[in-house]
Amino acid sequence: MLSAALDFIGRHATRFMFGGVLVGLALPWLADLVRPLFVPLLLIPLTLALMRLDWQAFKAYGRRPVLIVAILAFLLLLSPVLMLFALKPFGLPTALNAAIVLMAAAPPIVSAAAISFILGLDAALAVIIIVLSTALVPLTLPPLAFILLGIQVEMSLPEFMARLALLVGSAFVAALVLRKVTSPAWRIEKARLLDGMSVLVLVLFAVAIMAGVTDKMLQSPGYVALTTVAAFIANLSLQALGYGVGRLIFRLGRPASATLALLTGNCNMGLVMVALADKAEFDMVVFFAMGQLPMYMLPGLLYPLYKKLAHSGPS
């Protein structure tokens, strides 16, 4: 029964992701209930993605260090600068403008690895970029935030790196154990079931991350509407930029470029919130919260396009 349910969820992965974030908004009590599971819900999709990956793909990218460094520089340094200049003509509220630039300066969300797998994109590239960009962000975000926005961000590098090592290390160890106790044939045969498990956890994570957002919507509906529209436009614009840079500058194939698009648009704003701490204005926090909507809705809305790019070959 459970296996059939997970298989069904796996076959309709993006639809369940789309609905999950709405459940968090509609049932705030459920969001508060799931919130304590935040870290395990972050780890499980990454673990499942690592378990299913062909680890030889890591070696392939390991032989292309210049490409990896260029992608990291694009994501962490160039994207926020381009976003700052792109926003200038629109005259957005100061807090919203700053929040969008900080979004562009953040590394990709950890769950992008699982989403890449579900969409049939280059999950190996996603994992490499997610891990390295998250490790580097304490070195890039504080100076960028100060230079571009005049905002001082304090991130304890040793503490951050220790937490990151524990998080990523746990996922790799768990994935290694799971690979030892399962065969490649089993992992291929149970692909839908594993997709279903990943999506179920991603949905619970979406519910958890929406804790408190409903109250914010009721307090300031007009501003929340503006931030929601801005979040969708920013996400789509960054994805378009990522795909264009992948194809035209890095000369990547369509699947890898689509993966770069996903990574560029879906940024870890939760990490930025933690870094800002009490310096985050209420209006910025609203954007970071509503920015979760496109992350979970766009994979469903853009699913046909992602699948077309994923199966269009390397050219």
Side-chain angles (χ1 to χ4, degrees):
M1 182 68 178
L2 178 60
S3 176
L6 290 173
D7 186 78
F8 177 79
I9 294 173
R11 281 185 279 115
H12 302 281
T14 54
R15 294 178 183 177
F16 276 91
M17 287 173 58
F18 188 105
V21 72
L22 297 179
V23 170
L25 285 173
L27 303 174
W29 60 269
L30 182 59
D32 293 331
L33 186 66
V34 178
R35 183 77 176 184
L37 301 175
F38 198 85
V39 173
L41 295 175
L42 190 69
L43 274 174
I44 293 172
L46 179 60
T47 300
L48 292 175
L50 288 170
M51 179 187 79
R52 300 169 65 187
L53 269 178
D54 176 7
W55 286 24
Q56 293 299 316
F58 288 131
K59 295 181 180 179
Y61 279 112
R63 293 191 289 268
R64 304 176 71 185
V66 174
L67 172 64
I68 298 301
V69 171
I71 291 175
L72 292 170
F74 161 67
L75 286 174
L76 298 177
L77 302 175
L78 185 58
S79 288
V81 174
L82 293 176
M83 181 61 77
L84 179 69
F85 284 103
L87 292 175
K88 282 188 178 298
F90 296 99
L92 295 175
T94 302
L96 178 57
N97 189 89
I100 296 173
V101 173
L102 289 172
M103 165 192 166
I109 53 173
V110 173
S111 55
I115 296 171
S116 295
F117 220 111
I118 291 167
L119 295 175
L121 300 177
D122 192 337
L125 176 62
V127 170
I128 291 169
I129 297 303
I130 289 166
V131 171
L132 293 179
S133 61
T134 304
L136 290 171
V137 79
L139 303 175
T140 61
L141 182 62
L144 272 177
F146 184 74
I147 293 169
L148 299 180
L149 304 168
I151 297 174
Q152 288 192 332
V153 178
E154 295 179 5
M155 299 183 76
S156 170
L157 185 58
E159 181 182 351
F160 180 87
M161 295 299 288
R163 289 181 179 180
L164 178 64
L166 180 61
L167 180 72
V168 176
S170 299
F172 268 96
V173 170
L176 185 61
V177 171
L178 289 170
R179 287 173 68 88
K180 290 290 185 183
V181 299
T182 61
S183 67
W186 183 89
R187 294 194 291 270
I188 293 172
E189 179 187 349
K190 300 297 182 181
R192 288 296 189 193
L193 184 144
L194 294 170
D195 280 346
M197 291 176 62
S198 295
V199 171
L200 181 61
V201 176
L202 285 172
V203 167
L204 290 173
F205 181 81
V207 171
I209 208 165
M210 298 309 288
V213 174
T214 303
D215 291 338
K216 292 179 176 64
M217 290 179 65
L218 296 175
Q219 291 171 14
S220 185
Y223 184 75
V224 167
L226 174 62
T227 58
T228 302
V229 172
F232 273 91
I233 293 174
N235 187 304
L236 286 168
S237 299
L238 286 170
Q239 288 207 48
L241 175 66
Y243 185 81
V245 168
R247 291 292 286 164
L248 301 175
I249 306 299
F250 299 143
R251 301 295 182 181
L252 298 173
R254 292 187 181 93
S257 294
T259 305
L260 181 56
L262 184 76
L263 298 176
T264 308
N266 294 283
C267 309
N268 195 338
M269 289 175 276
L271 187 62
V272 177
M273 284 181 60
V274 172
L276 288 174
D278 57 349
K279 296 184 181 68
E281 298 180 29
F282 172 78
D283 288 348
M284 294 175 67
V285 173
V286 172
F287 174 79
F288 294 145
M290 302 315 294
Q292 308 306 313
L293 295 179
M295 291 186 196
Y296 282 85
M297 291 182 170
L298 288 179
L301 295 173
L302 300 178
Y303 182 74
L305 177 59
Y306 282 128
K307 294 302 287 186
K308 181 180 178 180
L309 293 172
H311 295 96
S312 59
S315 61

